[in-house]
Amino acid sequence: GYNNIDGEAARKRGIAVCNVPVYSTGAVASMVMTFVLSLSCSLAQQQRKLWGPQPDREGWASIRGLSHFELAGKTIGLIGGRGAIGSKVSEMARVFGMKVVITSRSSKPCEGAEVVSMDELLGRSDFVSVHCPLNSETRKSIGRPHFEKMKSGAFLINTARGGIINEEELCDALERDVIAGAGLDVQESEPPAEGSRLWRLAQKNCLLTPHIGWQRVETRQRLVDSVALNITQFLKGEPTNVVN
């Protein structure tokens, strides 16, 4: 992403801003499915029962009161799902027998997925995954009205940018069990502030990871190689992946 760079200001000064657009597609898509798999089988909740000085081994042996279901036939909704990562998630989800619905500014058919309105996506999906960029239009664009339209047993997943979600309203929804839970690889502030409710909710129904979706060994090497190529092309006077 390059949302932390003022591309317009750089353009006015003749500065080329180049990014590396597709180095982490598979890794981030895998992170989404990691959340889906974990949330569908109460993996984290079961492990928490064994933590601490007094493990709850009896509770650990029971799935009573926990989400535990197969993925086949379930629906995953991808907000902004036409991009490279969203398309890869769609491909992976279908392998598990999941149905895929997406929102898109384009009404063109999307292979393997059904294009629907935001309201329909929220109402139908068992998992809602965010795949849009962070900009002035999308900042805090997903909040209370969206959570209230989701199924009470549905989960929200965000591997895009933390600022897209209204974090305070998400915390309210998680505390009140408006939705079943969330998997957040990105947060509005990384790491979350000391007093953030997300830390407490991580002990209840929110999986928190420190923006690691893109950080697999192979992914990082691909990034370094691509940055080196960008620099080489710029020095040749043939810049690539210019975003401004």
Side-chain angles (χ1 to χ4, degrees):
Y2 49 91
N3 53 278
N4 58 337
I5 296 175
D6 190 335
E8 181 62 19
R11 186 187 64 78
K12 290 178 179 178
R13 290 165 175 77
I15 301 171
V17 177
C18 306
N19 78 333
V20 181
V22 294
Y23 73 96
S24 63
T25 299
V28 177
S30 295
M31 190 73 199
V32 173
M33 294 310 298
T34 298
F35 280 135
V36 169
L37 290 163
S38 177
L39 292 166
S40 70
C41 69
S42 61
L43 185 66
Q45 293 95 323
Q46 298 288 59
Q47 287 302 299
R48 288 189 196 111
K49 293 178 182 181
L50 298 179
W51 295 345
Q54 296 181 318
D56 179 10
R57 294 177 181 174
E58 183 177 348
W60 170 78
S62 170
I63 61 170
R64 188 168 54 249
L66 297 176
S67 296
H68 213 76
F69 53 86
E70 295 182 356
L71 294 179
K74 297 297 187 293
T75 299
I76 183 168
L78 310 179
I79 298 177
R82 280 191 187 273
I85 295 174
S87 297
K88 191 65 176 178
V89 172
S90 175
E91 175 187 330
M92 291 180 172
R94 296 198 307 273
V95 172
F96 286 93
M98 300 184 76
K99 301 173 184 176
V100 182
V101 296
I102 69 170
T103 59
S104 173
R105 291 184 176 181
S106 170
S107 60
K108 293 180 181 179
C110 185
E111 183 179 358
E114 182 182 356
V115 181
V116 299
S117 68
M118 176 68 83
D119 284 355
E120 184 174 351
L121 181 147
L122 295 170
R124 286 175 54 182
S125 299
D126 301 289
F127 297 90
V128 174
S129 186
V130 180
H131 295 281
C132 50
L134 175 62
N135 53 43
S136 58
E137 292 182 13
T138 63
R139 187 175 296 277
K140 293 193 175 183
S141 62
I142 300 175
R144 182 176 295 109
H146 300 82
F147 308 138
E148 291 177 347
K149 291 174 182 176
M150 291 171 63
K151 298 177 182 179
S152 60
F155 298 90
L156 177 73
I157 296 171
N158 189 10
T159 57
R161 288 292 183 269
I164 297 170
I165 293 175
N166 187 315
E167 210 164 84
E168 285 302 304
E169 293 182 359
L170 173 60
C171 288
D172 289 341
L174 293 172
E175 287 177 348
R176 294 165 42 222
D177 297 316
V178 173
I179 59 175
L184 306 177
D185 188 44
V186 291
Q187 301 88 40
E188 191 169 0
S189 173
E190 296 178 358
E194 184 69 26
S196 172
R197 287 184 285 169
L198 288 176
W199 296 120
R200 185 174 70 254
L201 287 164
Q203 301 299 316
K204 182 191 177 191
N205 56 357
C206 183
L207 297 182
L208 286 181
T209 51
H211 206 153
I212 59 173
W214 66 275
Q215 293 192 49
R216 298 170 193 259
V217 172
E218 299 85 352
T219 313
R220 283 180 280 141
Q221 186 60 58
R222 193 178 303 118
L223 172 62
V224 170
D225 292 343
S226 297
V227 168
L229 180 60
N230 275 357
I231 293 171
T232 299
Q233 291 301 110
F234 180 82
L235 293 175
K236 288 180 178 180
E238 303 171 356
T240 58
N241 300 318
V242 178
V243 296
N244 67 332

